[in-house]
Structure formats: C-alpha cells, structure tokens
Amino acid sequence: MSRLKKALEADKFPVVAELQPPKGIALDNMFSPVGFLKKRVTAFSVPDNEHARLRLSSLAACRLLKEADAEPLLHLTCRDRNRLALESDLLGAAVLGINNVLVVSGDYVTLGDHPQAKPVYDADSVQLLQIAQGLMAGHDSAGLPLNGNPDFFLGAVVIPEADPWVPQLIKFEKKVAAGAQFFITPAVFDLEKFRAFRQSLPPHPIKILASIEILGTEEVAQAKEGKWRQVYSLPPEILQELTAAEAEKVLFKGAEIAGRLLKQLKEENLADGVYLKAQGRADLFTMVLEGGGL
Amino acid sequence: MIIAERKPFAEIKAAVAPYEKILIVGCGTCVAVCLVGGEKEVGLLASQLKLARGLEGKHLEIGEITVERQCDLEFIRPLCDFIADYDAIISMACGAGVQYLGQLCYMRPIFPAVNTAFIGVNEEAGLYSERCLACNNCYLAVTGGICPVTMCPKGLLNGPCGGTINGRCEVDPERECAWTQIYQRLENQGRQEQMREILPLHPHDRRTTSGKVIHPAYKRRYGGHE
Ligand code: SF4
Ligand code: SF4
C-alpha cells in the first residue's frame, strides 16, 4: 500500500519532496537529496517534462527511487501521450511498484523547449483520472477487461487562487468524482488567500498538500520587473525580503521564508501535508524542514 | 468559411521554376472572401511571376482562370479541356480545392499558392479568426456555443486547466481562456450546472475513418454508394 496514502489517512502531515530529473542521463544531482532525506520525508515526486521542457522520464526515475527504497510519486501529463500510451504507462507504473500518481494536463508545448512538437491532450485530467479508475476496476478506456488490475493512489492539481473561482471549483469537484484522492496546489505564499480557499471548499474527505516553494532567481527577477505570470501570488512583503537579499542569498532567503510558511500551514492546520519544491537541493530542503520544525 | 494565407512568393516561384506554361486557378468562394485566392489575387500572382521570370530573362506563359468553387466537381470539370495545354497548375484554393482539382487533372503537377489555416469567421475585411476544427462531434450545445476543441489550445473538455490567469489563456495572454468564457456564457444563461457534467473521451475515430458525409437523400437515391 502507498506510504503516502497511509501517512495522509493517519493525519501524519507528510512531506513530499520534488526532485529535478536531468535533461540527460546524469543522475547525481537529481538523487543527491534522496539518501539524506529518505528518513525525513514521506515521498519523492518526479515531474513529467515539467513546463514542457525535456527531462528524463518520470517513470524511470520513480523506479530508481523504488530501488533506493524511497517512495515515489509519478507525474503523468496528458500533453505528451494519447490514451493508449497513458494506459500502458499506468500499467507499467503499477508493475514497477509505483502507485502514487499525480495527473496533470501539462503546460502547453509552446511554453517549453520543443515549441513545434505536436500537443496530444487526447484525454484531459478529469478523463485521465477516470481512465486510471477504470484500470483499477479492471477495464481499459475502451471497456475491455484487463488481466490483473493495478492499484493507484491518485492525485490531481487544484488552483486555490484561480480567478474566476467557480469554474476551478467545478473542475475540482469533477476530479473528485473522477477518482482524485488527494490534491496538490501551486506554491502558497499568501496565507490569507489560502485560508479563503480552504473555507470555500465544500467539506470533502479529500487531502490537500500545499506547495511550499523556493523561488529561483528567474522568478524573483520576473516579479521584480512586474512581469509575474504565475497562478499564485507573491505578497509584496515577501518579494521585498527576496529582492533585498544579495543575488546568491536569494535561495537561502527563500528557504527561510519557506520554513516559516511551512510552520504556519502546519500550526494552523491549513493543509494535510506539504509538497516541497526546493530547487532539488539537499541543503535547501534541509533548511526548509528545519525552519518548519519538522 | 475556410481561411487561408498566401504562401511567400519565393516558395511559389521555386515550386514552379521548371515549367514554362502555367495555369493559375483561383477559387471564388472562401479564399476570395479572405482575399488570398480569388480572381484579383490570381491576377496579382500572375504579374509577380511574369515580372520575376522576365527579370531573369526566362520565358513564361501564364493562363488565369477563377472558378466558383474548386471543391466542387461541377465547377472544375470544365477545366479539364484547358489544362491539357499547360505544363503545370497553381491552385489558389484551400487544400480541399487543390486536391480535388489535382485529382481531376492528375496528369499535370499541381502546386498550392496558399496555406490553408482554419475554419473561421470574417470579423471584418482582413480580420479572420478561428472557430472550428471540424471534430465531427460538436459540443457547442453543452459548452454555451463556444468551442472547447478549437478555442482552448489544449482542447480540454472538462473545464479550465491550471494555467489560466485572470481569465486569460496560459498559452498566450492576449487570448481569453475559452473555459472561462464558456463558464461565463453558461452562467449568463443560467446554465452553469451544465459544466458539472463530465464529458467522456473524444471519439477521434469519427474524424479519422472514412471522412465522408453522405446526405440521407443521396443515400436513398443511390443506396449509400458514391
Ligand atoms: S465542437 Fe468545435 S471543433 Fe467540434 S464541430 Fe463543434 S465547433 Fe467544430
Ligand atoms: S488557459 Fe483556458 S483556453 Fe488556455 S489552455 Fe488552459 S483551459 Fe485552455
């Protein structure tokens, strides 16, 4: 059974650490935080060609995590595969011992590093959840029976600061109806907005992992120049803290802020766990966890 | 209607470089309305080609003709007689017209002069925008008359993706998020509950199989055969 599921169900406030798969096959950097963090986090998550930029496959990296005795969270994007490929990768994940799956639509191809690639989106995220549910129930998306059913712990994304909110809420509920058992949000910096989001959610037994992120210098520069284009907001006082720091210290400052946010989220019981994005660096992960008192 | 854009002159010129007797065939319907392949544009392309060849001191004979619709056998059949006199054809119709004329006059090479862009609307002279991808399973009844297949770059069927910002599309902030618009349209009409229905996977086979539509009256008359 999924350790992540167990931890969420037992209200253990699990931490999922996001790794950064390489563009290439050099694994050292990606795996450097694993050995050390294995005992401190519940699972490691591997994005699937994040931001439509080519990376080592999430499926392969998740299997390597398994072999390192770590719990993986596979990301599966609708952008790069049709229903046949999605289903076959899901079955493949199951036999490799990978049961935690985060289903995402996927950033559009033109935003990434292969802008001329053919976008697929044969299924959307709601339909992909239904497909995975179907596999668990023993049939494929064409309704044909499987020989051996997989078991998954299915996650999806919800955008707390979506504006307008109602269409996002409808989509959230569709994802729940389609089988999502937990949700991950984009980075949370504005706790006020996050509280409002929690209040506007109808009572569901659904688990929410809030993302805590250490912004890179690129994003900080974007915000500074007023070119912010993210689906989460960055309160001016946080931006102030980040820009006041010297260039190389932006990440450390970011880790300090992340630790603080993590602590508040936990203390106020605003989330069921956290999803940590710390540039894939062991030192930064550690700083955040320590700052958050975990 | 079908919207197209003229190909760059250099590309057309290079494609027909080996030929000395060329017939340019325009189309009087969609591509004439979007100002790329009607009678006027045939004349313009003919002059450009003649001028360019003339400057190179090379011989070129050009015939010009525009038919009502190149995608209609009735209008292109009479062209057969002419075409025998030419080495090559340039078609200024959409991709359907080019292929149909090429199929009819299969002994002569045919070259397109336009890039067929989309099925869209004429907002005003010179401004066209896309509306339909001919998915053959129209969702407009349940999406408030706004096409999720075409107007959402991802073609999502069950609501906005996570990238929409303030009602704008993640792909291009200049464009509105189709799913935000769909929601707003349905809400204005008091039909937002419609969005809760989970639409199933799209039946792509409806586009990729025979690609034929047979009108019921035609079927009655000819028993379903062409
Ligand atoms: S749903 Fe969109 S693409 Fe499909 S037929 Fe209707 S308008 Fe065209
Ligand atoms: S922002 Fe809206 S229109 Fe753009 S891809 Fe996402 S759902 Fe589709």
Side-chain angles (χ1 to χ4, degrees):
Chain A
M1 183 179 164
S2 153
R3 275 187 244 169
L4 179 60
K5 184 177 181 185
K6 251 192 231 162
L8 279 168
E9 281 174 357
D11 292 325
K12 290 267 175 61
F13 200 79
V15 176
V16 177
E18 185 182 279
L19 299 177
Q20 293 191 339
K23 188 186 188 87
I25 60 166
L27 294 171
D28 298 3
N29 280 343
M30 174 190 177
F31 274 89
S32 66
V34 176
F36 175 68
L37 283 180
K38 216 159 50 177
K39 297 270 172 299
R40 306 184 65 172
V41 305
T42 305
F44 293 92
S45 139
V46 189
D48 183 7
N49 290 333
E50 196 184 16
H51 304 310
R53 296 181 196 147
L54 174 71
R55 292 288 183 272
L56 175 87
S57 92
S58 177
L59 188 59
C62 284
R63 174 61 201 177
L64 293 176
L65 280 165
K66 248 342 249 196
E67 284 167 16
D69 195 29
E71 170 98 344
L73 166 58
L74 175 83
H75 292 215
L76 194 62
T77 169
C78 299
R79 177 194 57 230
D80 303 334
R81 301 167 185 84
N82 70 5
R83 62 194 81 175
L84 266 169
L86 289 167
E87 289 171 62
S88 121
D89 278 358
L90 279 169
L91 295 179
V95 299
L96 293 175
I98 300 154
N99 302 101
N100 304 314
V101 181
L102 181 76
V103 158
V104 296
S105 309
D107 289 348
Y108 199 67
V109 279
T110 52
L111 304 175
D113 62 4
H114 286 54
Q116 297 192 333
K118 182 174 185 177
V120 185
Y121 303 105
D122 185 19
D124 61 28
S125 49
V126 174
Q127 293 163 337
L128 178 51
L129 286 162
Q130 283 185 322
I131 288 177
Q133 280 277 75
L135 297 177
M136 288 161 72
H139 60 83
D140 67 14
S141 73
L144 302 171
L146 301 181
N147 188 358
N149 309 358
D151 185 28
F152 298 115
F153 184 47
L154 297 171
V157 174
V158 62
I159 316 291
E161 298 179 37
D163 179 22
W165 167 243
V166 182
Q168 180 62 214
L169 177 63
I170 293 175
K171 185 134 189 192
F172 169 83
E173 295 192 324
K174 281 172 133 174
K175 287 176 174 173
V176 174
Q181 293 165 279
F182 70 95
F183 281 84
I184 295 180
T185 71
V188 176
F189 285 103
D190 192 326
L191 288 179
E192 205 46 59
K193 289 201 167 125
F194 197 73
R195 280 184 207 106
F197 156 71
R198 288 306 316 232
Q199 278 158 15
S200 64
L201 275 191
H204 277 296
I206 289 292
K207 303 293 181 182
I208 307 246
L209 295 168
S211 276
I212 297 284
E213 181 168 351
I214 299 179
L215 296 179
T217 39
E218 209 178 289
E219 285 129 327
V220 173
Q222 237 184 34
K224 217 159 115 187
E225 291 160 22
K227 291 188 187 140
W228 189 249
R229 261 192 67 75
Q230 305 292 341
V231 293
Y232 53 90
S233 52
L234 193 61
E237 51 294 357
I238 291 187
L239 178 62
Q240 183 68 32
E241 277 185 72
L242 285 169
T243 46
E246 294 163 45
E248 74 270 22
K249 291 202 181 130
V250 169
L251 293 176
F252 295 125
K253 192 77 208 169
E256 193 187 309
I257 295 167
R260 208 166 66 208
L261 287 165
L262 171 53
K263 202 169 188 172
Q264 274 173 290
L265 278 168
K266 190 166 190 288
E267 280 173 5
E268 283 190 48
N269 208 8
L270 287 171
D272 303 295
V274 286
Y275 184 90
L276 222 56
K277 296 172 90 161
Q279 309 284 324
R281 274 172 49 176
D283 58 335
L284 296 175
F285 277 123
T286 313
M287 281 180 73
V288 183
L289 290 174
E290 270 159 21
L294 292 177
Chain B
M1 63 173 181
I2 309 275
I3 308 297
E5 288 178 278
R6 233 293 290 271
K7 277 186 177 286
F9 177 67
E11 186 185 335
I12 304 172
K13 179 173 166 258
V16 298
Y19 308 102
E20 295 195 339
K21 239 185 138 186
I22 299 168
L23 180 65
I24 305 182
V25 187
C27 180
T29 308
C30 308
V31 290
V33 179
C34 67
L35 312 173
V36 289
E39 198 171 352
K40 261 199 208 136
E41 293 77 29
V42 169
L44 187 71
L45 178 60
S47 322
Q48 278 181 297
L49 281 168
K50 276 186 226 159
L51 193 70
R53 286 277 179 102
L55 287 173
E56 290 167 359
K58 289 182 188 149
H59 175 73
L60 178 66
E61 215 176 296
I62 289 193
E64 301 172 32
I65 190 162
T66 298
V67 296
E68 185 69 31
R69 284 196 295 280
Q70 271 184 52
C71 56
D72 196 328
L73 191 59
E74 180 188 337
F75 294 106
I76 56 174
R77 196 179 272 129
L79 290 177
C80 286
D81 299 339
F82 281 111
I83 282 173
D85 293 339
Y86 293 89
D87 307 331
I89 313 162
I90 294 178
S91 165
M92 300 199 75
C94 73
V98 179
Q99 292 183 61
Y100 212 20
L101 184 60
Q103 181 183 337
L104 185 74
C105 310
Y106 61 91
M107 296 297 284
R108 292 286 178 274
I110 192 164
F111 301 94
V114 306
N115 289 319
T116 304
F118 50 73
I119 302 177
V121 295
N122 185 5
E123 295 196 31
E124 51 187 307
L127 181 61
Y128 316 101
S129 62
E130 187 170 17
R131 288 293 188 276
C132 174
L133 276 164
C135 77
N136 202 359
N137 189 49
C138 197
Y139 295 104
L140 294 176
V142 294
T143 56
I146 297 168
C147 173
V149 179
T150 313
M151 309 307 282
C152 163
K154 299 180 186 174
L156 305 179
L157 296 180
N158 282 296
C161 74
T164 169
I165 300 178
N166 299 324
R168 298 273 149 183
C169 176
E170 81 165 29
V171 175
D172 174 5
E174 297 293 306
R175 101 192 241 180
E176 291 183 82
C177 163
W179 271 104
T180 305
Q181 287 186 302
I182 290 171
Y183 168 72
Q184 283 162 348
R185 176 80 61 85
L186 287 171
E187 192 198 21
N188 282 337
Q189 299 174 353
R191 298 201 290 153
Q192 65 271 37
E193 287 307 302
Q194 182 69 65
M195 239 178 96
R196 296 186 186 277
E197 182 192 337
I198 297 185
L199 294 181
L201 292 165
H202 183 79
H204 283 283
D205 57 337
R206 298 185 63 164
R207 266 192 93 196
T208 48
T209 46
S210 75
K212 275 202 196 337
V213 171
I214 305 173
H215 193 276
Y218 187 97
K219 239 186 235 170
R220 279 196 297 276
R221 194 154 163 203
Y222 299 105
H225 297 296
E226 241 193 322

